[in-house]
Amino acid sequence: MPSVFIKTFGCQMNERDSEAVAAQLVAKGYALAASEHVADVVLLNTCSVRDMAEQKALAKMTHIAGLARKSGREPILGFMGCMAQSRGKQLVEALPDVDLVLGTQKFHRAAEYLDELLAGRRDKIVDTDAEAGSQAAIREHLLTGNDKKAISAFVSIMQGCNQHCTFCIVPFTRGAERSRTIEDVVGECRELVSRGVREITLLGQIVTSYGKRDYPVKDGRSAFVQLLEAVHEIEGLERIRFTSPHPKGYGDDLVEAYRRLPKLVESAHLPVQSGSDRLLKLMHRGYTRERFLSIIEKLRQVQPGMGLSTDIIVGFPGETEADYEETVSLCREVEFDQAYLFKYSPRRDTPAAAMPDQLPEEVIEERHRKLLVIINDLAARKYEAMVGQTVQILAEGPSHRNAARYEGRTRSNKIVIFDGSERHRGQLMDLRIERAGSFTLYGDPAVVGME
Ligand code: 5AD
């Protein structure tokens, strides 16, 4: 029985793809290996969004191949996902130990290709072709976080992106937008709920573009909101999340959905990228600072406790001190609960990589360092402000920070650690927040009330 180890780089979409490949292989009789050092098959699921993510995956593979050679082992080595897609056969040329390169439309073929490689019928396989319908081909779930049943699951609703932001490689790695049908997505969600899942996160590169070409607007509701309504109907499902939306796609129908659909939790990840209109235009984002702020205001009107997170790029080509200060002031104005900060990284074939005024690394580093302090400080205050409040959490399992304790998340997407046990798994609980740590809250078990 061959064993497989999968290491994932990058976003939640990648995590989901890895889980689906693992589930597919387990169904074919593979065992999940404890580490890359003992596995018969090692797969790296890669990210291309910044150069650093690619370099990490390349270094990891070189390291694994070197160790395997030294110990006389010959595991099957493969790259899959975004870098596999964008670099293709270059990868086997550069790293001769690599046997498999599996593109972003080919995850469902992993088992078939590994069979051929393990049986020695083929020596190397590189498949990065487009495949019609591949957006619906990934549906298997493992559902075994910490060897126990998972309470929260990701469901991929679409693939690809048509936005072509000038900094972004994703349209090249994930292809054009393709959506699954509402029935297909709902069917998968229903099955998950029947297996004990209580929270579902709908995933896509730009979920607000879901089904645009397939489902016309109905009663003022976009295809994505129609999908949310259909998932909301599922009995036994407690919470719905989604990521990532595009600010441009935040119509009033979606804002209203937070009021109408109680299972849709008050949490949104809204990537702003910059606070400067000039840069937003150069980035090809399709909204202004003012429009972004008005969406935030509307969301807070509907749900005052809305948890808000964002992505920000510092050091985009031509970013002046004044542009940077606009981003800082936007952060102060919005007070995000969490902001993911990225240093601009030129990506091949993107328009921004060819723009004039690429900034020196020191400038990018310095702005990144300063903004990180500001963002963390703002977030810390948000977390502090929750001390003393009683909040509902969904208990998910042993804490990732301390396995002796338990953790769950608030509806606004904050992690809460408390003294819990397996009997709490999957429970909605009210906890009083006693203390705030770095991006973590601590709830008091003495005042646990079960719903
Ligand atoms: N450089 C830096 N950050 C990037 N992102 C996307 N492309 C780049 C790039 N070339 C960031 C964006 C996006 C997040 C997933 O990664 O902020 O929202």
Side-chain angles (χ1 to χ4, degrees):
M1 193 79 57
S3 67
V4 60
F5 184 81
I6 303 178
K7 179 166 172 65
T8 309
F9 298 83
C11 65
Q12 287 155 322
M13 197 72 132
N14 287 5
E15 277 177 42
R16 169 69 194 114
D17 293 335
S18 293
E19 189 217 359
V21 169
Q24 184 196 129
L25 295 177
V26 166
K28 296 271 184 210
Y30 282 73
L32 296 178
S35 85
E36 66 265 38
H37 308 301
V38 295
D40 302 310
V41 175
V42 181
L43 300 174
L44 302 188
N45 194 6
T46 55
C47 170
S48 284
V49 99
R50 284 166 300 144
D51 187 53
M52 179 134 78
E54 293 201 346
Q55 295 309 326
K56 271 192 197 160
L58 291 168
K60 183 77 186 173
M61 188 61 97
T62 307
H63 183 68
I64 292 169
L67 283 184
R69 237 183 287 131
K70 240 186 250 165
S71 63
R73 298 176 58 249
E74 284 188 33
I76 299 285
L77 301 178
F79 281 116
M80 54 184 189
C82 288
M83 185 176 68
Q85 185 69 40
S86 68
R87 295 199 180 203
K89 71 174 183 345
Q90 270 175 28
L91 289 169
V92 284
E93 287 160 8
L95 294 158
D97 292 303
V98 170
D99 309 285
L100 174 65
V101 176
L102 199 63
T104 52
Q105 304 196 24
K106 300 291 171 179
F107 291 112
H108 58 292
R109 303 218 175 271
E112 163 194 339
Y113 287 156
L114 288 174
D115 273 358
E116 299 203 356
L117 291 166
L118 282 163
R121 283 193 296 273
R122 285 173 75 177
D123 187 31
K124 290 206 189 280
I125 299 176
V126 177
D127 188 358
T128 56
D129 290 344
E131 185 166 328
S134 65
Q135 71 273 23
I138 287 271
R139 18 175 340 125
E140 294 98 334
H141 287 261
L142 212 50
L143 296 187
T144 51
N146 294 319
D147 291 331
K148 292 271 169 51
K149 270 220 212 112
I151 295 306
S152 185
F154 292 140
V155 171
S156 166
I157 63 169
M158 65 185 300
Q159 285 286 326
C161 182
N162 292 354
Q163 294 297 324
H164 288 277
C165 299
T166 54
F167 51 78
C168 192
I169 199 172
V170 167
F172 305 105
T173 62
R174 290 279 178 173
E177 285 168 7
R178 293 102 58 211
S179 297
R180 298 173 64 183
T181 63
I182 292 181
E183 297 72 45
D184 196 20
V185 173
V186 170
E188 184 175 328
C189 294
R190 263 188 214 292
E191 199 196 316
L192 288 168
V193 172
S194 76
R195 290 168 66 186
V197 165
R198 308 199 74 193
E199 173 182 271
I200 284 174
T201 304
L202 303 175
L203 290 180
Q205 269 79 37
I206 300 220
V207 290
T208 40
S209 295
Y210 169 83
K212 263 189 186 162
R213 278 159 292 278
D214 314 308
Y215 299 97
V217 173
K218 205 163 78 189
D219 303 326
R221 289 167 195 169
S222 63
F224 180 57
V225 172
Q226 292 172 42
L227 175 70
L228 287 175
E229 287 173 346
V231 174
H232 194 268
E233 296 269 298
I234 299 173
E235 221 167 290
L237 178 64
E238 297 287 355
R239 290 177 168 189
I240 304 170
R241 301 181 185 277
F242 56 81
T243 199
S244 284
H246 191 291
K248 215 168 72 170
Y250 251 90
D252 289 346
D253 60 329
L254 184 51
V255 174
E256 275 307 307
Y258 284 96
R259 199 193 311 269
R260 285 192 298 117
L261 306 175
K263 295 178 186 176
L264 182 59
V265 293
E266 43 276 20
S267 166
H269 179 68
L270 271 169
V272 67
Q273 314 298 359
S274 170
S276 150
D277 281 341
R278 202 180 69 83
L279 283 202
L280 287 171
K281 200 163 180 188
L282 283 175
M283 289 175 165
H284 197 231
R285 289 294 289 171
Y287 53 85
T288 59
R289 175 192 178 100
E290 193 186 326
R291 165 93 178 107
F292 184 85
L293 290 173
S294 82
I295 296 165
I296 302 282
E297 196 185 312
K298 281 186 196 171
L299 285 171
R300 283 185 167 148
Q301 266 164 15
V302 170
Q303 292 286 357
M306 194 88 186
L308 289 169
S309 58
T310 196
D311 292 343
I312 292 169
I313 297 176
V314 289
F316 185 82
E319 183 188 71
T320 62
E321 200 58 35
D323 292 319
Y324 167 74
E325 285 303 332
E326 295 233 43
T327 300
V328 173
S329 76
L330 181 126
C331 291
R332 291 198 195 283
E333 206 169 322
V334 176
E335 298 183 343
F336 294 106
D337 297 81
Q338 187 141 11
Y340 300 92
L341 204 51
F342 300 95
K343 294 176 213 163
Y344 172 70
S345 166
R347 310 309 297 129
R348 50 192 172 274
D349 301 328
T350 59
M355 285 180 186
D357 303 324
Q358 302 280 326
L359 298 192
E361 227 173 285
E362 315 83 73
V363 174
I364 300 181
E365 287 287 341
E366 177 64 5
R367 288 180 187 169
H368 179 266
R369 194 187 56 75
K370 279 183 357 204
L371 189 53
L372 198 59
V373 173
I374 295 167
I375 277 169
N376 287 345
D377 183 49
L378 287 166
R381 277 191 246 164
K382 283 251 143 173
Y383 277 71
E384 272 304 325
M386 293 195 66
V387 174
Q389 288 181 23
T390 299
V391 292
Q392 186 207 61
I393 65 141
L394 175 60
E396 288 181 23
S399 163
H400 290 94
R401 295 196 180 192
N402 174 359
R405 306 195 78 197
Y406 227 65
E407 78 179 26
R409 268 175 306 149
T410 66
R411 287 174 61 94
S412 65
N413 209 21
K414 295 186 177 66
I415 290 175
V416 184
I417 297 179
F418 63 101
D419 280 332
S421 63
E422 279 309 308
R423 74 191 170 90
H424 295 119
R425 186 185 289 268
Q427 302 278 350
L428 288 171
M429 305 163 71
D430 284 330
L431 291 184
R432 201 177 112 90
I433 303 303
E434 291 295 300
R435 182 163 76 80
S438 170
F439 296 104
T440 313
L441 298 169
Y442 296 86
D444 187 342
V447 283
V448 166
M450 292 233 258
E451 291 218 346

